[in-house]
Structure formats: structure tokens, C-alpha cells
Amino acid sequence: MADGTPRRVAVIGGGVTGLTAAYEVHRQRPDVELRLFEARAELGGNIRTERRDGFVIDAGPDSFVITKPDALALCRELGLEPELCATEDQARHVFVAHDGALTLMPGGMALAVPTRLGPLLETPLLSLRGKLRLLLEPFVPRKRAHGDESMLAFLERRLGSEGAVQLAGPLLSGIYAGDLAELSIESTFPQLVELEQSYGSLIRGFLALELTRGGRVDARPGIAAVVRWLRRSGAAQAPSPFRSMKSGMSTLIDALAAQLPAGAVRRGVAVTAIERLAGGAYRVVARDESFVADAVVLATPAHVAAKLLPDAEAARELARIPYVSTATVFFALDTAQVKSNLHGFGFIVPPGEANILAGTWVSSKWRGRAPEGAALVRAFVGGARDPQRIGSSTDEELVAFSKRELERLMGPLGTPRWSRVYRYENASPQPRVGHGALLERVRARCAAALPGLYLAGAAYDGVGIPDCIRQARGAATAAVKPFDEQIARRAAS
């Protein structure tokens, strides 16, 4: 720089969080010298797309939600809007494993909260007692005491035991592959907590949101309005909140990487240490190189970040965030050999119904994922429900196990054209009860002892792609802010 002041930023981790942070640093301050370190040979982290024999395989996340605006906004910035695709409207059905078969999830569910009476009364997924208890939700008092609680405790308190375990729990906890009794409701679905606190009821809250979208400001619906709303005979299908990429989610990864300056990305370079230097800078140390940075964005899993933090207290706290391992097992099938009609997105599995977590009918959910006459199906395996499965099984064993479990619920699948296993070992963070308080301690310690070092990623404020993008942009803005302040001070003087 002309004034001789070093302005360097290091980003550690080449998943969607790290790439977005690096993109945002370069977008805001193209004069900053940037380095992104990724231990693997490929960028993208859990986002990975492969193509084989006319199939498009998203090995990890296959979409993002547009109800959180960050991912959609980034795609628009990158010129990717023409590449976006929505789920297939005719296949927007979700099934639930129940008594050895697949039963349709009742219509009108919003985050597993019923918004229509008819489908709920007709479903065989709940007993009459369970349905009545769920419909009493608007009369259940809001929680008065402050403090975090488990997802299970929250859902049982609001929806009853059956509603929590059979419907809401598998749908919500499945996103984390976690234990319903341990996951924090405040750290996983804070919007549900906000609905309870604002409206005293989840059902009443969803009605209020609908009225507000319709122009009713400060809507506070009474019980009579709730009953009329639940009894409505039908409702127009809302637009799908999910978006993917026509060529797979790696399209987003490739677009982000293409925006970074030449030489900024170091693939296959694992960072082994971060050292705090006199004067406030950081030395990022890898096996064959090092980089001195004024700011560092750590966009790795929390257990990796804990090993790198140059502060023992912050590292100890960060290491307390647990992770579980999962795998996705894909099958390329001939539709003529499959007994199930695959008319839907797939299914979720409550505890005790099967030994997998869920199944996705990928080629029904998204157009263009399989060639004519073929289907692409995947099973989710492991997680907190089956923690030893991934580490103790070979790929061949996972394929045999997954096919057996899928067929137990779906019927015969025939002879697959091929199968593929993708492992995610210690890759799913578990925001357990008390997670928010833990993050407050970590951030307070980092602010005091490690100014200029920022944490972002799925372990902190949400696991979804929009959450990671939001965190990444916030960390990048914080990282370059001191440089802008330096310039402003010099201009003022």
C-alpha cells in the first residue's frame, strides 16, 4: 500500500462459509491481500456435486431455503439466478415411516405445526388422544421462565408427546441428525420460540404471520379466528421455499471461487497453527508456508478451530461443541424395477420405525437429476441415533444396510445400476441445550484476547447455507472494518 500499512486477511476453511467470507472481503476491499487455506484438494466442504451416467448427485446439501434471504441474495450477486430451480410442484409430498410403511404427512404443516384441521384429523400417524392434545396447543400457556430448553421439552410442552415424537421431532431434529432430547430449541429453531413468546401459541402465531402478510398489521387473532382458520377446507399450495441449482449445488461453490483473486486460494494446505504476534497481527502456519494477517476468519468445524485458537480458554469452550457423523448412500435405480411410485420428496423416520434417518427421492424432488427411465434415491445414515454405524462399517456394508432399510419401507428396489457412499465424519454440529450461552462466552473471550479473529460456520448461528452465508459476510465485514477506520482517521488528520 502507498502508506506502507500492511492489510492482509486470512480465511481458514474452503467450504461455503470460508468462500463467502473471502468473496466478501475481496468485494469490499479489493486492495486487501487475501489468503484462503483449505486442507482438502477440493473446495466446498460438505457441498459436493458429482455427475455420473446422466445422474446429478448432490452428496451433501441439495438446496437452501429462500425464507432466509442471504443465499438467494448471494446467488443474484453472482449472476446465478438463471441457474436456480425450485422443487417439482407435483411431487411436494413428504411421508413418514409408520408401522412398517410410508404414510403421507398431513397437509398444512408449517415447521411441523398444523395449520389445517381436516388433514390432521384424518392422519393415522396420531391417535385420537394425540390429535386432541395437539389441537389444544393454542390454550397451552407460554413459557414464563427464562432459559434454554431441549427441542423435545419445547415440542412436548406445545404439541404433546405424540405430536412431538411422531411428527415434529423427526422433521426438525433430522436437519441436525441429532437427539431431540439434547438439541437446544433456542439455537435450532429460534423462530418457534419467538412465536410462542409473541403470540402465546405456535398455531396462533402462524395465523398471525399469514394475516400480517395479507396486510393486517399487528394481527393478534383470537381463538374464534384460529378455529375458523384451522377449519378452512383447503388452501392454495404456497410456493416452494427451496432452491437448488440446475447443475447441482457445486455451481455456487465454483462461482464463489471464480470471484477470488489469482493466487489467493491454497488448496490441499492444512493450517497447523495460528500464532498471535506482538502488535496484534496473526501468523497462520501451514506445513510449507506461513502468512501474516491483520485479521483471520476461522470458517472450519468448531473442533478444528479449537485446535488452532491461540487462546486456551476460548479453545476449551469451543471444543465442547459436539459433532456426529453421518453418511448419504445413493442408489441409481431402474424405475421399472421399483415398487414405490416415488411420488414425493421422500420420507422421515421417527425413532423405532427404521434404522435410517430419512430417505430422499432425489429425481422426483428435482428435475434433471436422473436420465429417462431411471431414479436417484438416497438414504441418510448415522447421526446421534446410530453413532457407531459410520465408523464401524465399510462402504459395502453401508450400501447393503441402506438398501435393506429402504426396501423395508418402500418395497423392492430391483438391482441398482450403481451405488455410492459419501461419509461426513464429525461434520454435523450439535447445538445442545446451553449452546447460546457457550457461544456468548467464546465470543466474549475472543473479543478480549483475540481481537481481529472471527468465527463463522455451521457450529455457531445455524447450520443452513443461508445461515453460513450470513455469518460469513458478517465476519468479513468485521475483518475489514479496522482498515476502513485507519483510512478514515488518516483522511481526517
Side-chain angles (χ1 to χ4, degrees), residues 139-213:
F139 300 94
V140 176
R142 67 166 60 89
K143 181 183 176 184
R144 298 295 182 183
H146 294 290
D148 200 2
E149 63 183 323
S150 73
M151 192 183 290
L152 179 62
F154 177 88
L155 294 173
E156 282 189 330
R157 184 167 54 76
R158 298 302 326 167
L159 306 176
S161 180
E162 282 189 55
V165 175
Q166 294 299 118
L167 291 181
L171 192 63
L172 301 185
S173 67
I175 296 171
Y176 294 83
D179 186 337
L180 198 64
E182 295 185 345
L183 292 172
S184 157
I185 189 66
E186 289 188 354
S187 296
T188 54
F189 291 93
Q191 61 269 50
L192 294 180
V193 178
E194 291 169 7
L195 285 179
E196 180 190 32
Q197 292 304 311
S198 296
Y199 301 100
S201 158
L202 302 182
I203 294 176
R204 196 194 304 259
F206 278 112
L207 171 56
L209 293 179
E210 184 172 302
L211 293 174
T212 301
R213 285 193 295 268

Side-chain angles (χ1 to χ4, degrees), residues 26-193:
H26 186 59
R27 187 187 71 83
Q28 291 191 32
R29 292 297 306 271
D31 57 318
V32 165
E33 187 176 355
L34 178 67
R35 289 287 185 279
L36 184 147
F37 296 89
E38 168 52 48
R40 302 175 187 173
E42 299 297 327
L43 300 173
N46 290 346
I47 297 177
R48 179 180 178 185
T49 303
E50 291 190 4
R51 297 165 186 85
R52 177 176 177 179
D53 302 334
F55 293 85
V56 178
I57 311 156
D58 273 320
D62 68 359
S63 62
F64 58 84
V65 294
I66 59 174
T67 49
K68 297 179 179 181
D70 305 271
L72 182 59
L74 178 60
C75 288
R76 286 171 172 164
E77 279 183 34
L78 296 171
L80 295 178
E81 197 161 14
E83 297 297 317
L84 295 175
C85 58
T87 52
E88 293 289 271
D89 284 341
Q90 68 271 21
R92 287 177 61 187
H93 309 289
V94 176
F95 293 81
V96 181
H98 180 67
D99 288 342
L102 296 180
T103 300
L104 188 65
M105 174 79 79
M109 304 293 286
L111 282 178
V113 177
T115 66
R116 287 174 56 202
L117 183 61
L120 178 66
L121 294 179
E122 294 167 3
T123 183
L125 294 171
L126 301 176
S127 68
L128 177 59
R129 180 175 181 176
K131 296 171 185 177
L132 293 175
R133 170 60 182 84
L134 202 155
L135 289 172
L136 288 173
E137 193 274 338
F139 300 94
V140 176
R142 67 166 60 89
K143 181 183 176 184
R144 298 295 182 183
H146 294 290
D148 200 2
E149 63 183 323
S150 73
M151 192 183 290
L152 179 62
F154 177 88
L155 294 173
E156 282 189 330
R157 184 167 54 76
R158 298 302 326 167
L159 306 176
S161 180
E162 282 189 55
V165 175
Q166 294 299 118
L167 291 181
L171 192 63
L172 301 185
S173 67
I175 296 171
Y176 294 83
D179 186 337
L180 198 64
E182 295 185 345
L183 292 172
S184 157
I185 189 66
E186 289 188 354
S187 296
T188 54
F189 291 93
Q191 61 269 50
L192 294 180
V193 178

Side-chain angles (χ1 to χ4, degrees), residues 102 104 136 198 237 270 287 295 302 345 424 461:
L102 296 180
L104 188 65
L136 288 173
S198 296
Q237 190 177 53
R287 187 179 65 179
F345 288 177
Y424 297 94
D461 294 318

